[in-house]
Amino acid sequence: MVLEEKWPVLGRHNEAARWLRIWTDLGRAPRTIDAYARGLAEYLDRCERKGVDPVGATREHIAGHVRELSTRPSRRGANVVSIDSGSGLSNATIQQRLVPVRLFYDFLIEEGLRESNPVGRGRYTPGRRFGGHQRGLVPRLTRLPWIPTEAQWTAILQVAANEPIRNRVMLALAYDAALRREELCSLRTDDLDPAHRTLRVRAETTKGRRERIVPYSATAGVLLSSYLAHRASLTRARGGLFLSESHRNYAQPLTLWSWSKIVRRIALGAGVPRFSTHTTRHLCLTDLARAGWEIHEIAIFAGHRHTDSTIQYIHLSGRELADKLQKGMQQIHAWRIRQLAQLGGQAPEARS
């Protein structure tokens, strides 16, 4: 396996290699397999360093792995966990690294090599207090997604204005249709419907494997028309919509990594380093909520199976929530005053 070449520790553990091979044969996305391999290899490497047989590992060994993840120096530098922290991975990253370890032990249980899973998972248990929810091994922290301020967004647009037409239309569609990075880069020429200003997001390119049709604005349509004319100068062949113009990959579909580098360059040029390829999706869904869209409508637009996922993407500031509360309270206040006025106009006998 190519994964064993990248992470040799996987080749030294037959059950781990077999588990990954099964997931690969089941057609899981290459990036998912790669993430699983990385997380599991990281855990197996620690087991080897500590002289622990992973098949017989206990919850104590898993806890030690979690502690190492949360305290070791990060390659990205300081301030990973919190403002005053100089070490450790973020909570979300630790959760992500534990997923393949937990699934690996599920596989060992199915194979009859273990009786229990030392990682465990948060689950509903009838009869327990506080709603019957048993907490997972690592508490899950849910933070609000970051979105740029109006000034930051303006700075990003000013830098993007000097970008080639391809990059500008990609940024426009990423926001307009709330596209994930892979959905955007995987668009093909036959996914477009210019007559109705819609595009098709194919199931195989989505995170939830659900196809959807999404609209884009007239402004994005003008940019797209200009880009299609430019694309025709590169090639007239159908296929990937957004093409590379580098000498090495000329007229080949633009890769995810190339788009990430482009967005990173724009972010640094605008002085907004937190801006990423996923920020436009957060911003679009938040703007839809601000415009009064119902949560289930936003979920359909975003391609979410459940509205719980949609809620995590929407960022409403405290001021916006306060405005909604004030408006709602004004209506209730007016209703109560009307009731008092009606009671004041009744005859004494009616009120007694």
Side-chain angles (χ1 to χ4, degrees):
M1 291 179 66
V2 177
L3 294 175
E4 294 173 10
E5 297 176 2
K6 191 173 182 179
W7 291 286
V9 67
L10 297 174
R12 298 193 291 270
H13 296 269
N14 293 331
E15 297 303 327
R18 190 157 66 94
W19 174 72
L20 285 169
R21 194 175 299 114
I22 290 173
W23 278 97
T24 303
D25 292 341
L26 288 174
R28 290 300 186 272
R31 287 198 301 144
T32 299
I33 297 297
D34 192 73
Y36 282 0
R38 177 182 180 178
L40 186 57
E42 199 171 40
Y43 170 68
L44 295 176
D45 181 69
R46 185 181 189 279
C47 286
E48 289 187 353
R49 285 188 281 109
K50 299 296 182 180
V52 176
D53 177 12
V55 176
T58 65
R59 198 171 183 85
E60 180 181 0
H61 299 130
I62 300 295
H65 181 54
V66 171
R67 185 176 185 278
E68 183 175 296
L69 293 176
S70 59
T71 58
R72 74 182 185 192
S74 171
R75 289 181 297 177
R76 294 190 178 185
N79 306 333
V80 175
V81 178
S82 60
I83 293 177
D84 58 352
S85 172
S87 64
L89 301 177
S90 69
N91 178 268
T93 301
I94 293 175
Q95 298 281 356
Q96 184 185 59
R97 299 290 173 83
L98 286 179
V99 167
V101 180
R102 185 180 68 237
L103 294 177
F104 173 62
Y105 280 112
D106 282 345
F107 168 72
L108 295 182
I109 293 172
E110 293 172 358
E111 294 294 301
L113 300 177
R114 283 188 64 99
E115 293 184 357
S116 62
N117 192 322
V119 181
R121 50 171 56 81
R123 59 184 181 273
Y124 178 79
T125 307
R128 292 181 65 91
R129 297 177 62 187
F130 306 113
H133 185 269
Q134 182 175 344
R135 194 176 73 174
L137 184 66
V138 178
R140 185 177 295 275
L141 305 179
T142 303
R143 293 187 172 91
L144 287 174
W146 177 84
I147 59 174
T149 63
E150 292 302 317
Q152 290 172 328
W153 179 245
T154 300
I156 290 166
L157 294 181
Q158 288 174 346
V159 174
N162 298 317
E163 290 289 315
I165 183 63
R166 181 200 64 194
N167 299 347
R168 283 184 283 146
V169 73
M170 289 183 72
L171 195 61
L173 290 180
Y175 169 77
D176 249 0
L179 298 178
R180 301 179 179 94
R181 180 182 63 164
E182 186 168 1
E183 295 171 348
L184 177 66
C185 294
S186 300
L187 285 175
R188 297 175 58 86
T189 52
D190 54 358
D191 291 330
L192 300 176
D193 183 357
H196 297 92
R197 285 211 309 270
T198 60
L199 54 87
R200 175 172 61 114
V201 184
R202 286 171 285 115
E204 61 270 23
T205 69
T206 68
K207 186 177 181 180
R209 296 297 185 261
R210 303 184 70 186
E211 184 173 300
R212 66 186 191 276
I213 305 294
V214 291
Y216 55 86
S217 66
T219 303
V222 172
L223 287 173
L224 184 58
S225 297
S226 298
Y227 170 69
L228 290 176
H230 173 71
R231 184 186 182 279
S233 67
L234 304 177
T235 178
R236 293 188 177 275
R238 292 181 175 272
L241 177 60
F242 299 114
L243 305 180
S244 171
E245 297 184 39
S246 68
H247 295 295
R248 186 174 60 178
N249 300 310
Y250 189 79
Q252 296 298 311
L254 191 73
T255 66
L256 305 178
W257 322 119
S258 296
W259 176 236
S260 293
K261 291 178 181 178
I262 291 168
V263 172
R264 183 62 176 168
R265 186 182 69 238
I266 294 173
L268 294 178
V272 189
R274 295 187 68 180
F275 186 81
S276 70
T277 57
H278 215 60
T279 302
T280 48
R281 180 171 167 85
H282 287 158
L283 184 59
C284 175
L285 300 184
T286 298
D287 285 346
L288 293 180
R290 289 166 170 165
W293 280 41
E294 297 292 338
I295 190 67
H296 70 276
E297 295 173 332
I298 301 176
I300 294 172
F301 185 84
H304 290 152
R305 291 182 180 274
H306 307 289
T307 55
D308 290 348
S309 301
T310 311
I311 292 173
Q312 294 178 6
Y313 275 76
I314 295 174
H315 179 286
L316 294 179
S317 69
R319 177 177 296 179
E320 290 167 328
L321 294 176
D323 289 342
K324 287 180 177 292
L325 177 63
Q326 183 179 6
K327 291 177 182 178
M329 288 303 294
Q330 285 176 347
Q331 295 175 355
I332 295 174
H333 180 74
W335 171 69
R336 295 194 187 281
I337 292 297
R338 284 196 300 270
Q339 282 189 316
L340 289 173
Q342 291 172 358
L343 287 174
Q346 293 180 4
E349 294 80 4
R351 297 197 303 268
S352 60

